[in-house]
Amino acid sequence: MSTLAYDGCALLGRQLRRMRNNPGLLILTQTMPVSMLLFFGYVFGSALAVPGEAYRSFLVPGLLVATAAGGVMTGMFQSAQDVHRGVTDRFRTLPVSRAAVPVGQAVADVVVTAAGTLPFLLVGLAVGWRVEGSALAAVGAVGLLLLFRFACVWVGIFLGLLTRNEEAAGQLGGATFLLPLLSSAYIPTDGLPGPLRTAAEWNPISAVATALRDLFGNAPVPEGAAWPVAHPVAGSLGWCVVLLAVFVPLAVRQYAHGKR
């Protein structure tokens, strides 16, 4: 086994134990998407022209992607916490691969996200959402969702290492809640005014949400949309590749040098 894989597995275990020892945060991150599904599905859904059950079928994939985008916030906070408390400096003194610590954090986050996706989907089924596509396409949708979460966590890790402060990371991470609002996670974008619609459709969240709806068979691909939304699977994969290509090297370099 390579040094990176061996060290990464060891630090993956450390990260999972860290999450287990903070059950309050774990419970909050797992129950928040379910709470949002019930709130948006029954409160907002009743105010929309789309019938309640149809809106909930539209909403479930969007909330999955909005939750995945929350990886920016969790990655940022955990990295900043480790830097602020001196944990990162202690790790730098160990003879381990420089990439192992952020890799372990990112993989642990995806493992926890995968475990939390199942109860959310069960609640979705209970409120009327259904997988109307093939089983293979549904598996592909979950895989794409986890890949997007993995990419978002790397963005957060870099930003957390850059801010180096728990409080600042918490405040900046809270601002990421706005990202799904300017996307098709909660509402269709075809009714938005021109510039706002363009911005929403070039938001990576819109591409991934549209891809999940397409793969689950919940909604057709909108006509006349920007390229990432008109070709949602390819657009989603493209966004994930771009995010990983940019932020993995930046995060590893920032971790290795520990400078602003």
Side-chain angles (χ1 to χ4, degrees):
M1 184 181 293
S2 68
T3 301
L4 174 58
Y6 181 83
D7 294 341
C9 288
L11 290 162
L12 166 63
R14 176 255 175 185
Q15 194 70 22
L16 291 174
R17 288 191 296 273
R18 175 188 185 182
M19 294 178 180
R20 183 189 63 189
N21 293 332
N22 191 358
L25 179 61
L26 191 60
I27 292 171
L28 177 64
T29 57
Q30 298 302 317
T31 57
M32 181 62 71
V34 173
S35 302
M36 292 179 67
L37 172 60
L38 297 175
F39 180 79
F40 277 84
Y42 287 95
V43 178
F44 283 5
S46 62
L48 297 174
V50 182
E53 187 171 316
Y55 177 65
R56 289 191 287 275
S57 292
F58 177 90
L59 180 64
V60 167
L63 271 175
L64 283 170
V65 180
T67 303
V72 176
M73 180 174 63
T74 57
M76 190 188 314
F77 182 76
Q78 290 178 351
S79 292
Q81 187 181 62
D82 279 349
V83 174
H84 188 70
R85 298 183 180 184
V87 177
T88 300
D89 287 335
R90 290 195 289 273
F91 276 137
R92 289 194 186 105
T93 65
L94 299 176
V96 298
S97 168
R98 287 294 182 243
V101 173
V103 166
Q105 178 180 339
V107 174
D109 186 277
V110 171
V111 170
V112 173
T113 299
T117 299
L118 180 58
F120 178 86
L121 292 178
L122 292 175
V123 174
L125 290 171
V127 299
W129 171 77
R130 295 292 183 270
V131 176
E132 299 174 26
S134 68
L136 184 60
V139 171
V142 174
L144 181 61
L145 177 73
L146 296 179
L147 176 63
F148 182 61
R149 175 76 181 202
F150 186 67
C152 288
V153 172
W154 278 102
V155 178
I157 290 172
F158 170 68
L159 294 176
L161 291 170
L162 200 62
T163 58
R164 305 168 63 86
N165 182 278
E166 288 182 64
E167 184 177 348
Q171 293 173 349
L172 182 60
T176 62
F177 178 76
L178 298 175
L179 294 176
L181 298 179
L182 188 60
S183 74
S184 64
Y186 306 135
I187 58 171
T189 59
D190 52 9
L192 297 176
L196 194 59
R197 177 180 178 179
T198 300
E201 289 178 347
W202 280 95
N203 185 335
I205 295 173
S206 292
V208 184
T210 305
L212 261 64
R213 292 183 186 116
D214 184 38
L215 292 169
F216 284 135
N218 297 144
V221 176
E223 297 181 1
W227 189 89
V229 174
H231 306 83
V233 176
S236 300
L237 292 173
W239 274 120
C240 290
V241 169
V242 169
L243 292 174
L244 290 171
V246 171
F247 287 99
V248 170
L250 286 176
V252 173
R253 183 177 182 276
Q254 185 67 28
Y255 170 80
H257 296 285
K259 298 178 181 178
R260 292 183 180 273

